[in-house]
Amino acid sequence: MSKASERAFVRMEQVGHCYDPAAGNMAVQQIDLEIHRHEFVAVVGPSGCGKSTLLRMVAGLLIPSAGKVSVFDRQVTEPRDDVGIVFQKPTLLPWLTVRDNVLFPLKHKYGLVTAADKNRAEELLAMAGLSQFSARMPDELSGGMQQRVGIVRALLLNPDILLMDEPFSALDAMTREQIGFDLLNIWTENPKTVLFITHSISEAVLLADRVLVMSQRPGTVLDLIDIDIPRPRSANTINTPRFAELTARIRKHIYEPEAHA
Amino acid sequence: MLKSTSFPVRQWLLSYAAALFFITFVLLWELICRFGKVPVYILPSPVSIVNAFFDVEFSRWLEHLWATLRVALMGFALSICISIPLAIAMVRSEVLSRTIYPALVVIQSTPVVAVAPLIIVLMGTGDMSRVLITCLITFFPLVVSAATGMLETPEELIELSKSLRAPRYRETWQIRIPYAIPHIFSGLKVSITLAIIGAVVAEFVAAEKGLGYFIQFSTSFFKIPQAFAGLIFLAVVSLVLFKSVQWAQQWLYPWSIPKNKR
């Protein structure tokens, strides 16, 4: 391993944020977290605990009011263009075809797209199994397919960091499992540093290398759990005793928070 | 059993309800005028209105129509040219929005009918003053609808734009304005009918041609059926313009119409 890859890629030191300084209540506080290069970290916690706040801090869309967030030893002080963001809703542009939606980040950033970019978009769509839909309009696709397009769009600029804000929460359970495995395949082929926000404990354990468990608002770190289940993971992973143990451990944090008080 | 027989009737009613209502309405109107002995200066019968329409030469109708349409469309176009940039400016700058919005509300709540004579005095009796009056009456719904649409852009897309560090004009052009298209077209539909109203109001104040002028002139000579003919013609023109905006939206931006209505 080279020295660079041993270093923490994303580092949060005593990070806290307060949306409304007048009222003085913190959304998140005292977060310490190190994410390694090409590591898949999932964040779980009750709703409103500031999971999305963390994600926005890494993207530089939000500057923390306390502590420091740095990416590759550089403090984040403004929006970064080396992150790909996948939102809870697909947020595709309804007036563009699927392919143009995938190309949108380039078109938006530089104002033009080349033939090579178009090829790359088609390649990414093929990887996500969406080739035959590339000329369709978003509203002709199912919710699961739309969210796949959202993931492909986030990969277009080949970002180092993939930020996913409850990306599968609007999907039905079966689609959700399938798209989770698809994400793992994509991630294996194009390794990225992933910060994955979810409120599904089993999804977090199934996908991640480590799971950060957050408390009720103001969100703090309750636990950081290594998921030592070997990859590649599949639908059978859910039936292993280790999976049950790990989900039980996280569930305990969520449902019996007083154990930590 | 009952359902299967009543269903086609219901379908049939749904498709022809408007036409049926219209025919019944006109028939009743004709009957009341004939058998109720209603004087023609109070309510002319549909037949007398149709006769009055054909008594006027077609070229004269076209002349009046062109005068009104020209003013209405020029006012409408001017209003689009003013209101869309204004809406963009208001969305991009909160200071500007807070400064301009109260002024817009004041202009909108001042009755244009009352201001029209003043504009004629200031700018003369030419087309320009009538265009300005039309513009004043049409631009408010456009500004409001365009600004509302741009502000309703999902926050995620704005975040996406920020995280790409794209220039801000592209956020406006590639995200906010397209997102506002459905709203802008709602505004355009309201404005196009208001444009006809604006042109007619202007003609009432000062004009020697136009459908508004024609109606006023016919009324003052007690040619009531002829005035009604002008009024109905005007309503038809308004309807065609409204439909044209709808067709334009369907043709240019089919995605902006909900799928079940395309």
Side-chain angles (χ1 to χ4, degrees):
Chain A
M1 254 192 199
S2 71
K3 210 163 178 213
S5 61
E6 279 167 30
R7 270 186 300 178
F9 200 65
V10 177
R11 178 178 283 141
M12 297 188 186
E13 292 164 87
Q14 288 294 301
V15 165
H17 192 74
C18 176
Y19 283 99
D20 180 11
N25 41 7
M26 304 290 281
V28 290
Q29 60 186 16
Q30 291 168 336
I31 304 279
D32 282 303
L33 174 69
E34 286 186 353
I35 306 176
H36 304 292
R37 189 140 201 246
H38 297 170
E39 189 180 23
F40 195 129
V41 172
V43 181
V44 292
S47 28
C49 73
K51 303 185 290 271
S52 300
T53 306
L54 287 189
L55 181 137
R56 275 166 180 75
M57 284 173 179
V58 176
L61 292 167
L62 192 72
I63 305 303
S65 44
K68 188 169 118 176
V69 176
S70 43
V71 174
F72 231 161
D73 289 338
R74 281 254 191 84
Q75 189 170 353
V76 179
T77 53
E78 55 183 356
R80 310 181 58 86
D81 53 9
D82 58 352
V83 299
I85 309 178
V86 181
F87 300 98
Q88 188 170 351
K89 282 176 272 167
T91 59
L92 303 178
L93 303 167
W95 55 91
L96 296 178
T97 61
V98 165
R99 188 177 71 177
D100 288 342
N101 261 293
V102 171
L103 286 166
F104 182 76
L106 269 172
K107 177 102 179 145
H108 195 58
K109 190 169 166 57
Y110 301 111
L112 76 161
V113 286
T114 64
D117 299 329
K118 285 180 187 165
N119 286 337
R120 176 161 165 76
E122 292 291 355
E123 273 167 31
L124 285 168
L125 281 168
M127 186 181 67
L130 291 165
S131 278
Q132 69 269 43
F133 300 103
S134 90
R136 300 280 189 89
M137 299 306 273
D139 64 358
E140 297 174 71
L141 270 58
S142 70
M145 285 198 272
Q146 287 186 24
Q147 192 56 287
R148 260 174 243 247
V149 177
I151 295 171
V152 169
R153 176 177 70 184
L155 294 171
L156 180 76
L157 293 173
N158 204 13
D160 296 319
I161 305 171
L162 196 54
L163 302 172
M164 309 186 82
D165 191 2
E166 302 193 14
F168 308 146
S169 62
L171 305 178
D172 61 87
M174 276 158 78
T175 312
R176 191 169 180 156
E177 248 174 45
Q178 186 50 48
I179 200 173
F181 292 123
D182 291 345
L183 173 67
L184 284 184
N185 288 337
I186 292 172
W187 175 70
T188 317
E189 279 177 45
N190 311 250
K192 307 265 171 229
T193 308
V194 182
L195 185 63
F196 186 96
I197 312 287
T198 177
H199 52 236
S200 158
I201 294 166
S202 53
E203 190 174 74
V205 174
L206 192 59
L207 300 178
D209 294 320
R210 281 191 297 159
V211 175
L212 177 79
V213 187
M214 284 180 76
S215 70
Q216 297 271 6
R217 193 181 181 99
T220 52
V221 179
L222 285 182
D223 202 353
L224 189 57
I225 302 166
D226 275 311
I227 307 299
D228 47 12
I229 301 172
R231 293 182 189 275
R233 296 177 191 163
S234 66
N236 287 328
T237 307
I238 299 165
N239 304 321
T240 60
R242 187 64 186 144
F243 183 87
E245 262 170 57
L246 289 165
T247 48
R249 179 168 158 195
I250 296 172
R251 205 159 273 135
K252 208 168 169 196
H253 284 299
I254 307 273
Y255 295 111
E256 300 165 35
E258 48 304 328
H260 303 271
Chain B
M1 202 57 203
L2 188 75
K3 232 180 180 173
S4 63
T5 49
S6 66
F7 185 64
V9 177
R10 196 183 137 73
Q11 275 296 47
W12 187 84
L13 261 178
L14 274 178
S15 11
Y16 296 106
L20 218 60
F21 172 76
F22 180 74
I23 292 167
T24 319
F25 180 80
V26 173
L27 269 178
L28 267 178
W29 181 357
E30 184 69 38
L31 289 175
I32 288 168
C33 287
R34 281 210 185 170
F35 299 104
K37 304 221 173 344
V38 183
V40 77
Y41 56 85
I42 290 189
L43 184 69
S45 74
V47 170
S48 66
I49 293 169
V50 171
N51 285 335
F53 183 86
F54 287 109
D55 283 345
V56 178
E57 263 176 65
F58 195 61
S59 60
R60 266 187 74 207
W61 277 123
L62 285 185
E63 242 174 80
H64 289 301
L65 169 67
W66 172 238
T68 305
L69 208 56
R70 190 179 61 211
V71 168
L73 291 180
M74 271 158 64
F76 183 61
L78 182 66
S79 157
I80 294 174
C81 295
I82 295 174
S83 55
I84 304 292
L86 203 62
I88 294 172
M90 281 167 63
V91 167
R92 285 192 59 163
S93 151
E94 214 195 324
V95 177
L96 216 58
S97 150
R98 284 181 187 234
T99 319
I100 299 174
Y101 206 76
L104 292 185
V105 175
V106 169
I107 294 175
Q108 172 65 9
S109 29
T110 313
V112 177
V113 185
V115 186
L118 292 174
I119 292 174
I120 303 278
V121 168
L122 278 172
M123 298 185 56
T125 53
D127 262 5
M128 264 338 284
S129 49
R130 284 194 286 275
V131 168
L132 183 69
I133 291 166
T134 307
C135 177
L136 275 179
I137 224 170
T138 53
F139 88 106
F140 190 74
L142 274 178
V143 178
V144 173
S145 62
T148 310
M150 281 188 257
L151 287 173
E152 274 184 13
T153 308
E155 190 53 38
E156 288 95 339
L157 284 171
I158 302 306
E159 284 189 332
L160 180 68
S161 174
K162 276 189 190 146
S163 86
L164 289 166
R165 302 165 64 108
R168 224 175 137 201
Y169 74 89
R170 280 204 205 117
E171 178 201 291
T172 305
W173 277 113
Q174 296 183 345
I175 298 177
R176 285 198 190 269
I177 292 181
Y179 246 99
I181 288 288
H183 284 88
I184 291 176
F185 269 90
S186 309
L188 287 174
K189 282 184 213 155
V190 176
S191 280
I192 193 77
T193 50
L194 286 176
I196 290 288
I197 295 177
V200 167
V201 163
E203 283 167 13
F204 277 6
V205 178
E208 55 275 347
K209 249 185 209 113
L211 290 170
Y213 164 79
F214 179 85
I215 292 167
Q216 203 188 28
F217 150 92
S218 304
T219 318
S220 58
F221 283 90
F222 268 102
K223 294 180 171 171
I224 305 300
Q226 190 176 299
F228 264 85
L231 191 66
I232 289 165
F233 192 34
L234 201 57
V236 170
V237 170
S238 232
L239 197 69
V240 169
L241 289 177
F242 179 85
K243 275 284 168 195
S244 310
V245 173
Q246 243 174 8
W247 287 325
Q249 183 178 10
Q250 252 155 17
W251 181 52
L252 294 169
Y253 307 103
W255 55 266
S256 69
I257 300 163
K259 235 183 169 181
N260 53 352
K261 289 186 182 153
R262 259 175 231 168

